[in-house]
């Protein structure tokens, strides 16, 4: 008889090496081996997952990894069956206890971080990875492991709150962890500008140059800030050249790619484009769940998976998820109540989401506007046809109801022919994604909004 607990521990240990700690604690620590039977020459392993969401994610994304680990450990072919079942041996509070996200930082290391102005608490370990940020994450890790040699400069761009600053700080943190005497500096575009302006005003540009040009790593957050400022761009150009010529690494973040930053000097633009440019797209549902879990854990609260999903389904930005959790915790404290579905629901309706409403229209007006824009009857629009010319307008309708009117997913689903919230979520993700690459979709959205 094989001891299932020990076997599973062994499997998880081997998986821990292959995935990031965030992925491990979000998904794998939520599993256990519920049963193992022998059928002929094969084993059948029943993998217990703490929620349907954990089950679909592991089944869909990590099946191969898990399967390989099982076969290797058992040295026998093995089939995997996934079931949703709580681990009877584990109280929920222990579910996460296995992998501390943060190593104990010594005081000394905090000094190192402070000197480099690298904010603590933002590392690769607590950065969750999904398709929207995978490229940027991989590039950042490569740079952290080989500063000055991998991609230079590394230019990371994307919308508000997608994790650009977090990722850049992770690089700084990682470089300093590997070599605490490495000269790294993290500054915002604004601080950098102030430094230059001050240098020019007080005739201390030499001090400025000494400070910046000797760096092994210069991390500038929101570089778009220097655009349109001639003296600053001039100085930065020389700083950039001197620093990179001496083998130093430059990393920048921006809200736009270099080609779209207006009033950016041509010679800087071409320098920025000479390295690697990667973007981070808005997080999809799965990533928002992972982020919500990481943030909840960091704040010391135990958030059950159904609440994680409820929050992530209703809040689109990583930054607002964190804000929401803070509000949730303080409300729970104030009301001396548990963090419950009721409390989450009551706060969702009142969040920034609803204040962010851009359209002052009723749901029915939106339905009519979409129907008119695409010359589709309401019945067809809200009906069951999956044909693209009908399904796409329907997705656009769901997108507008959700994002422009701020309606809850379930309500959108109800309005659009009684669909389920996951269908709505999928539609919103799809259109969000398409809107970034397809001008036709952008024009449709704009046209409909204008007609309202
Ligand atoms: P940006 O600089 O792109 O505006 P930030 O890096 O400041 O965004 O991220 C906003 C918040 O969201 C931060 O608290 C950050 O830790 C969190 N966040 C964003 N993306 C992730 C991620 N992939 N994993 C964990 N936290 C994330
Ligand atoms: Mg930022």
């Amino acid at each position: 008889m094989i001891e299932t607990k020990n076997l599973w521990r062994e499997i998880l240990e081997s998986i821990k090496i292959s995935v990031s700690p965030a992925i491990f604690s979000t998904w794998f620590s939520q599993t256990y081996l519920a049963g193992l039977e022998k059928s002929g020459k094969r084993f059948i392993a029943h993998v217990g997952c703490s929620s349907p969401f954990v089950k679909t994610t592991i089944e869909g994304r990590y099946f191969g990894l898990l399967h390989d680990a099982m076969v290797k450990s058992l040295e026998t072919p093995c089939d995997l069956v996934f079931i949703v079942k709580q681990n009877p041996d584990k109280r929920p509070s222990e579910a996460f206890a296995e992998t501390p996200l943060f190593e104990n930082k010594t005081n000394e290391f905090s000094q190192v971080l402070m000197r480099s102005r690298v904010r603590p608490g933002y590392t690769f370990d607590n950065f969750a990875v999904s398709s929207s940020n995978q490229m940027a994450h991989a590039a950042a890790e490569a740079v952290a492991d080989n500063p000055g040699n991998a991609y230079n400069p590394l230019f990371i761009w994307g919308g508000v709150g997608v994790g650009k600053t977090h990722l850049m700080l992770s690089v700084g943190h990682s470089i300093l962890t590997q070599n605490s005497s490495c000269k790294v500096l993290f500054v915002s575009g604004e601080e950098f500008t102030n430094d230059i302006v001050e240098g020019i005003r007080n005739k201390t540009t030499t001090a400025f140059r000494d400070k910046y040009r000797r760096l092994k790593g210069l991390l500038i957050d929101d570089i778009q800030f220097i655009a349109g400022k001639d003296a600053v761009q001039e100085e930065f150009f020389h700083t950039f050249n001197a620093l990179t010529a001496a083998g130093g690494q430059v990393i920048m973040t921006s809200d736009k790619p270099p080609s779209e930053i207006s009033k950016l000097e041509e010679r800087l633009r071409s320098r920025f484009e000479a390295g690697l440019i990667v973007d981070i797209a808005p997080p999809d549902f799965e990533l928002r769940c992972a982020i919500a879990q990481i943030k909840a854990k960091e704040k010391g609260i135990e958030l059950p998976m159904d609440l994680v999903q409820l929050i992530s389904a209703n809040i689109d930005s990583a930054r607002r998820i964190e804000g929401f959790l803070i509000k949730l915790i303080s409300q729970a404290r104030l009301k001396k109540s548990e963090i419950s579905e009721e409390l989450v629901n009551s706060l969702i309706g009142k969040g920034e989401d609803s204040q962010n409403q851009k359209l002052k229209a009723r749901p029915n007006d939106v339905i009519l506007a979409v129907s008119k824009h695409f010359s589709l009857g309401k019945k067809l629009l809200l009906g069951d046809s999956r044909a693209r010319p009908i399904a796409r307008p329907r997705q656009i309708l769901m997108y507008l109801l959700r994002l422009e009117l701020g309606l809850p997913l379930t309500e959108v689903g109800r309005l659009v022919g009684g669909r389920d919230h996951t269908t709505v979520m999928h539609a919103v993700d799809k259109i969000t994604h398409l809107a970034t690459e397809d001008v036709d979709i952008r024009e449709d959205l704009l046209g409909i909004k204008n007609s309202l």
Side-chain angles (χ1 to χ4, degrees):
M1 207 1 243
I2 295 173
E3 229 289 83
T4 51
K5 263 187 225 163
N6 285 338
L7 172 66
W8 201 243
R9 190 168 304 140
E10 192 183 315
I11 303 277
L12 290 186
E13 284 302 325
S14 76
I15 284 175
K16 219 178 208 169
I17 304 165
S18 325
V19 299
S20 79
I23 301 274
F24 186 86
S25 70
T26 314
W27 309 116
F28 290 99
S29 70
Q30 306 275 323
T31 61
Y32 76 107
L33 190 54
L36 186 70
E37 334 159 354
K38 190 117 193 216
S39 155
K41 283 188 181 151
R42 304 175 71 83
F43 274 110
I44 301 174
H46 293 258
V47 181
C49 303
S50 65
S51 74
F53 191 54
V54 171
K55 174 176 173 283
T56 18
T57 305
I58 297 204
E59 212 171 2
R61 291 174 57 188
Y62 303 107
F63 182 92
L65 185 67
L66 199 54
H67 186 249
D68 289 350
M70 281 301 272
V71 174
K72 213 183 270 167
S73 275
L74 292 167
E75 294 173 337
T76 312
C78 174
D79 298 317
L80 298 181
V81 179
F82 292 85
I83 53 173
V84 178
K85 199 169 170 192
Q86 294 297 334
N87 186 349
D89 295 343
K90 212 182 209 177
R91 276 171 287 128
S93 61
E94 287 170 10
F96 270 129
E98 288 167 3
T99 46
L101 273 179
F102 299 111
E103 67 275 29
N104 276 332
K105 285 183 203 97
T106 59
N107 225 345
E108 215 174 301
F109 192 61
S110 334
Q111 297 286 326
V112 169
L113 291 178
M114 217 186 290
R115 209 168 46 226
S116 297
R117 296 204 227 158
V118 172
R119 261 177 273 151
Y122 297 91
T123 63
F124 286 123
D125 287 351
N126 62 357
F127 187 85
V129 184
S130 173
S131 53
S132 56
N133 59 17
Q134 198 173 11
M135 276 279 290
H137 174 261
E141 273 197 330
V143 166
D145 290 339
N146 208 347
N149 293 313
Y151 309 109
N152 206 6
L154 175 62
F155 192 101
I156 304 169
W157 68 275
V160 179
V162 294
K164 303 181 295 292
T165 304
H166 187 142
L167 198 54
M168 186 152 80
L169 286 166
S170 307
V171 177
H173 193 279
S174 168
I175 294 177
L176 291 169
T177 307
Q178 296 172 56
N179 175 5
S180 62
S181 59
C182 189
K183 281 193 170 19
V184 172
L185 188 66
F186 174 92
V187 284
S188 66
E190 190 175 357
E191 287 163 337
F192 184 75
T193 302
N194 292 343
D195 252 13
I196 295 183
V197 171
E198 210 153 283
I200 296 170
R201 190 188 308 132
N202 302 334
K203 306 203 168 53
T204 50
T205 34
T206 342
F208 169 87
R209 285 174 191 159
D210 279 351
K211 172 175 159 191
Y212 281 96
R213 295 185 186 181
R214 280 203 215 131
L215 292 171
K216 177 74 185 154
L218 174 58
L219 319 183
I220 306 190
D221 204 16
D222 294 315
I223 189 74
Q224 76 273 5
F225 195 85
I226 71 165
K229 303 181 175 76
D230 293 343
V232 178
Q233 296 196 70
E234 164 88 26
E235 189 61 40
F236 180 57
F237 180 71
H238 297 297
T239 303
F240 182 97
N241 290 343
L243 197 150
T244 47
Q249 172 74 45
V250 177
I251 309 177
M252 293 168 278
T253 69
S254 165
D255 60 350
K256 293 184 199 74
S259 59
E260 285 176 25
I261 304 177
S262 63
K263 298 196 185 142
L264 179 67
E265 275 186 18
E266 201 42 51
R267 55 182 178 168
L268 279 179
R269 193 190 315 272
S270 76
R271 285 291 187 283
F272 295 176
E273 286 172 348
L276 181 69
I277 300 174
V278 281
D279 71 308
I280 304 184
D284 57 15
F285 172 68
E286 197 174 59
L287 183 59
R288 296 199 298 274
C289 285
I291 295 173
Q293 280 189 304
I294 292 173
K295 296 292 172 192
K297 197 181 159 200
E298 285 176 9
K299 296 185 193 328
I301 57 170
E302 190 72 46
L303 209 52
M305 197 38 119
D306 54 336
L307 295 189
V308 166
Q309 291 185 28
L310 183 62
I311 293 170
S312 310
N314 283 283
I315 301 181
D316 309 307
S317 120
R319 182 168 293 167
R320 272 189 279 136
I321 287 180
E322 184 162 27
F324 184 85
L325 290 176
I326 295 172
K327 204 157 55 185
L328 184 64
I329 295 168
S330 76
Q331 278 294 316
R333 240 177 243 146
L334 206 69
K335 294 186 176 159
K336 296 196 169 56
S337 67
E338 292 270 305
I339 293 182
S340 61
E341 185 172 340
E342 229 181 340
L343 185 61
V344 171
N345 269 324
S346 76
L347 289 177
I348 279 171
K350 296 182 199 145
E352 289 164 56
D353 269 8
S354 53
Q355 286 161 21
N356 258 351
Q357 276 187 26
K358 291 161 210 128
L359 281 179
K360 291 259 171 285
R362 284 167 308 173
N364 207 32
D365 299 334
V366 181
I367 298 176
L368 288 177
V370 174
S371 144
K372 200 161 152 220
H373 182 86
F374 292 103
S375 309
L376 279 177
K378 195 172 149 183
K379 215 166 171 187
L380 207 54
L381 183 65
L382 305 183
D384 290 329
S385 166
R386 285 162 180 261
R388 170 76 68 86
I390 300 160
R392 192 49 47 80
R394 189 183 298 132
Q395 289 178 323
I396 290 181
L397 172 62
M398 292 190 255
Y399 172 93
L400 289 169
L401 291 171
R402 172 76 191 104
L403 294 189
E404 295 295 332
L405 298 196
L407 298 179
L409 292 167
T410 41
E411 177 63 10
V412 176
R414 195 186 62 77
L415 287 164
V416 186
R419 291 181 154 74
D420 134 300
H421 75 280
T422 51
T423 309
V424 180
M425 219 155 63
H426 173 73
V428 173
D429 273 351
K430 179 89 199 170
I431 299 300
T432 308
H433 181 67
L434 284 177
T436 59
E437 5 193 83
D438 186 336
V439 294
D440 290 346
I441 297 272
R442 275 204 295 273
E443 276 172 7
D444 285 334
L445 290 171
L446 211 62
I448 297 165
K449 279 195 248 177
N450 285 340
S451 77
L452 287 159

